[in-house]
Amino acid sequence: MKLTRAVPVATVLLCAVPVFAAAPPAPTAHRPPTAGEVLAASTAADWRALDPQNTLYLELATGRVVIELAPEFAPNHVANVLALSRGKYFDGLPIERAQDNYVVQWGDREGKKPGGTAHRTVAAEFERPLRGLALTRLPDPDTYAPEVGLVDDFPVAADPITGRAWLVHCYGMVGAGRGNDVDSGGGTELYVVIGQAPRHLDRNVTLLGRVVSGMELLSVMPRGSGPLGFYERPEQYVPLKSLRVAADVPAAQRTNLEVLRTDTPTFVAYLEARRNRHEEWFKVPAGRVDVCNVPVPVRPAAGGSATK
Amino acid sequence: MKLTRAVPVATVLLCAVPVFAAAPPAPTAHRPPTAGEVLAASTAADWRALDPQNTLYLELATGRVVIELAPEFAPNHVANVLALSRGKYFDGLPIERAQDNYVVQWGDREGKKPGGTAHRTVAAEFERPLRGLALTRLPDPDTYAPEVGLVDDFPVAADPITGRAWLVHCYGMVGAGRGNDVDSGGGTELYVVIGQAPRHLDRNVTLLGRVVSGMELLSVMPRGSGPLGFYERPEQYVPLKSLRVAADVPAAQRTNLEVLRTDTPTFVAYLEARRNRHEEWFKVPAGRVDVCNVPVPVRPAAGGSATK
């Protein structure tokens, strides 16, 4: 029996961003700071509270999923989803689809539920002008687009020649399912990416937000055995308790979150720490980073400022 | 109430490769074939049966996960994991970690279980010579590596200047956890990628295989609440019933699978159909594809040829 005692595996694959960890050791003169060290050294001004008027709470039996909406990219879809939420359209509707390495999706597959003042369909919002966006560009090549980066905490691609920009399908992004007609979506069916970024969907379907908290409640949904991962039996459906606009929820019941600003020197340092990891475990820093491997850190808001 | 009847959402996000679907309509003169059409037109020679001597069955209470090993890339780790499996090392050990958008991991965290003739640690096999590999290169730029492509059905990166090649961390890839010492892994702790490809791990840890069937059993594991997604209470552990070499399993109990060969004109056509999707739903073909968005198709073997 040749086995010797194993090394401590708690240090294996150290990668999670320890936003809430105790203060790490200070960076030494020998190496640049790690992501954890950059965040530990951040100030209140490096963070931005979520806007409760553009934040949704998806309530499941297992807990709350927090979704930040992206009105800069899909203003009409966002307005429609806000109206649907306020009309309690989603309450009681099921998660009806979970396709492995792809998406979970909920909504009214039969399309029969009344929607209050909302619309069943909204014209596509696949892209928008690049002009007017504060895009923090990533320095590394992207397989799919001429430029990629972040606008606030949303992953974005852009083409400076056409002057167009669009949200990209990273893990946790939320989109509006549609049929073959490009204008047949509207937010009554919403999906969330739960696997490898399906970037071939970029500019083919309207993205309107991202999950900033609670992804682990969606990503574990049992995968559906029907075509495209749809559940085949109604008893497999997972009902939504409700989908609410955060601003409509009493302040004491809100989940007040802040996201790291992406237009600051702190973010540039964080990005560099993601491109080249200097934690002891790493031996070969990648020197590059994919836009979908830069999840923007989220933390509880200090002093509940998100409720103001 | 302005809602009109919804479009059929069963057509939403059509992307799954319908390997087993009924024969699709033939490609028209107006467009190239879809991936489904390429596969429907494939012949037996386009497929390769898995080698039972390099295939593992991970048995869970919920079903079987099939893992194809990669001895061309990690011969010593593969030999060690085969020895561990044959020594029943993994039987009864737990899945002890599930970190969202990252990995699930199983093994003997305490490092106390005897391993028969296997080793606790094996020298790192992070990369190998590019020479001698039949690499089917992808034509599109990769963020992380000078070249990417496929060797058999494994995703691979290469640097023609250094002459080195390595497996990459796509969804479903299986690796050997290690501590801070690069040579401290060996296969007693195995992890599987369950989210966005963590490509920064490439060349930092030994990959030794990929899950070809049953990913949906691993990807739904409840996420651990401890640091790095480790479960904090023993009752959360999910025990492995067993991990067996397929060749050691009676023929009648095997899962006989074939994978699409990647060194054929059929695969080139399949790849092109993934780069530019011509299904009716798509409006803007991407024109590009990421190496981690080319999962090589798997199907039940015709006539049980994998058991020969």
Side-chain angles (χ1 to χ4, degrees):
Chain A
M1 203 272 286
K2 301 173 182 173
L3 293 180
T4 59
R5 189 171 172 285
V7 296
V9 292
T11 60
V12 169
L13 294 174
L14 180 62
C15 173
V17 181
V19 180
F20 312 125
T28 69
H30 303 92
R31 62 161 176 77
T34 66
E37 291 162 351
V38 169
L39 295 176
S42 68
T43 68
D46 290 320
W47 297 80
R48 172 180 62 82
L50 292 188
D51 173 7
Q53 295 289 353
N54 280 306
T55 303
L56 298 178
Y57 295 155
L58 172 64
E59 306 286 357
L60 302 172
T62 50
R64 175 179 284 176
V65 178
V66 181
I67 298 169
E68 182 184 13
L69 298 169
E72 274 199 288
F73 289 87
N76 298 324
H77 279 74
V78 165
N80 203 49
V81 169
L82 288 170
L84 287 164
S85 300
R86 290 192 157 117
K88 302 189 178 179
Y89 172 80
F90 293 103
D91 299 14
L93 285 180
I95 293 176
E96 60 193 356
R97 177 188 188 194
Q99 184 171 355
D100 197 55
N101 193 23
Y102 203 39
V103 298
V104 294
Q105 186 171 318
W106 61 82
D108 178 19
R109 197 173 177 184
E110 301 298 320
K112 293 177 179 170
K113 188 167 178 177
T117 60
H119 301 272
R120 176 68 66 190
T121 62
V122 173
E125 297 175 295
F126 297 166
E127 54 180 43
R128 58 150 284 164
L130 174 58
R131 180 189 295 261
L133 287 179
L135 176 63
T136 299
R137 288 173 175 78
L138 269 61
D140 306 312
D142 180 74
T143 297
Y144 290 91
E147 292 184 343
V148 290
L150 294 138
V151 173
D152 295 330
D153 51 326
F154 291 101
V156 171
D159 184 341
I161 299 201
T162 63
R164 307 296 287 175
W166 55 94
L167 292 173
V168 301
H169 278 82
C170 297
Y171 190 86
M173 290 295 286
V174 181
R178 68 165 174 86
N180 283 344
D181 180 345
V182 292
D183 295 327
S184 61
T188 57
E189 298 269 332
L190 294 174
Y191 65 88
V192 180
V193 174
I194 60 164
Q196 173 68 22
R199 294 284 305 277
H200 53 281
L201 298 179
D202 293 355
R203 291 188 287 174
N204 279 287
V205 61
T206 300
L207 290 167
L208 53 82
R210 81 166 182 122
V211 173
V212 291
S213 174
M215 263 307 291
E216 71 282 3
L217 305 179
L218 294 172
S219 57
V220 298
M221 289 291 153
R223 303 328 192 213
S225 54
L228 305 177
F230 277 96
Y231 295 132
E232 298 185 279
R233 299 189 307 277
E235 63 266 29
Q236 296 173 300
Y237 289 170
V238 178
L240 312 183
K241 290 172 67 175
S242 64
L243 189 61
R244 290 281 179 277
V245 182
D248 299 346
V249 170
Q253 297 169 24
R254 292 187 199 164
T255 301
N256 299 307
L257 299 174
E258 296 177 338
V259 295
L260 191 68
R261 296 179 64 101
T262 55
D263 57 353
T264 63
T266 293
F267 183 77
V268 172
Y270 171 78
L271 182 62
E272 187 55 30
R274 297 291 288 191
R275 298 177 70 238
N276 288 291
R277 305 206 187 206
H278 296 288
E279 292 87 351
E280 184 183 358
W281 186 86
F282 284 91
K283 299 305 169 189
V284 182
R288 310 285 183 93
V289 74
D290 186 280
V291 65
C292 290
N293 276 328
V294 191
V296 177
V298 178
R299 70 178 189 183
S305 58
T307 64
K308 288 175 186 171
Chain B
M1 202 271 286
K2 301 174 185 178
L3 295 181
T4 59
R5 187 172 174 287
V7 294
V9 292
T11 61
V12 168
L13 294 175
L14 180 63
C15 172
V17 181
V19 179
F20 312 126
T28 70
H30 303 92
R31 62 160 177 78
T34 65
E37 290 162 351
V38 170
L39 295 177
S42 69
T43 68
D46 290 320
W47 298 80
R48 173 180 62 81
L50 293 188
D51 173 6
Q53 295 289 354
N54 279 306
T55 302
L56 298 178
Y57 295 155
L58 172 63
E59 306 287 356
L60 302 172
T62 51
R64 175 178 284 177
V65 178
V66 181
I67 298 169
E68 183 185 12
L69 297 169
E72 273 199 288
F73 289 87
N76 298 324
H77 279 74
V78 165
N80 203 48
V81 169
L82 288 169
L84 287 164
S85 300
R86 290 194 156 117
K88 303 189 177 178
Y89 173 80
F90 293 103
D91 298 15
L93 286 180
I95 293 176
E96 59 193 357
R97 177 188 188 193
Q99 184 172 355
D100 198 55
N101 192 22
Y102 202 42
V103 298
V104 294
Q105 185 170 319
W106 62 81
D108 178 18
R109 197 172 176 186
E110 300 297 320
K112 293 178 179 170
K113 188 168 178 179
T117 62
H119 301 271
R120 177 68 66 190
T121 62
V122 173
E125 296 175 294
F126 297 166
E127 54 180 43
R128 57 151 283 163
L130 173 57
R131 180 190 296 260
L133 288 179
L135 177 63
T136 299
R137 289 173 174 79
L138 269 62
D140 307 311
D142 179 75
T143 298
Y144 290 90
E147 293 184 344
V148 289
L150 293 138
V151 173
D152 296 329
D153 51 325
F154 291 101
V156 171
D159 184 340
I161 297 193
T162 63
R164 306 298 286 175
W166 55 94
L167 292 173
V168 301
H169 279 82
C170 296
Y171 190 85
M173 291 295 287
V174 181
R178 67 163 175 87
N180 284 344
D181 181 343
V182 292
D183 295 327
S184 60
T188 58
E189 299 270 329
L190 294 173
Y191 65 89
V192 180
V193 174
I194 61 165
Q196 173 69 22
R199 295 283 306 275
H200 54 280
L201 298 179
D202 294 355
R203 292 187 288 175
N204 279 286
V205 61
T206 300
L207 290 167
L208 53 83
R210 81 166 182 121
V211 173
V212 291
S213 175
M215 263 307 291
E216 71 281 5
L217 305 179
L218 295 173
S219 58
V220 299
M221 289 291 151
R223 303 326 192 213
S225 54
L228 304 178
F230 277 95
Y231 295 131
E232 297 184 281
R233 299 189 308 277
E235 62 266 29
Q236 296 173 301
Y237 289 169
V238 178
L240 313 183
K241 290 171 67 177
S242 64
L243 189 61
R244 289 282 179 277
V245 182
D248 298 346
V249 171
Q253 297 170 25
R254 292 187 198 163
T255 301
N256 298 307
L257 299 174
E258 296 177 337
V259 296
L260 191 68
R261 295 178 65 99
T262 55
D263 57 353
T264 63
T266 294
F267 183 77
V268 172
Y270 172 78
L271 182 62
E272 187 54 30
R274 297 291 289 191
R275 298 177 70 237
N276 287 292
R277 305 207 187 207
H278 295 288
E279 292 87 351
E280 184 183 359
W281 186 87
F282 284 90
K283 300 305 170 188
V284 183
R288 311 284 184 93
V289 73
D290 185 279
V291 66
C292 289
N293 277 326
V294 191
V296 177
V298 178
R299 69 178 188 183
S305 59
T307 65
K308 287 175 185 170

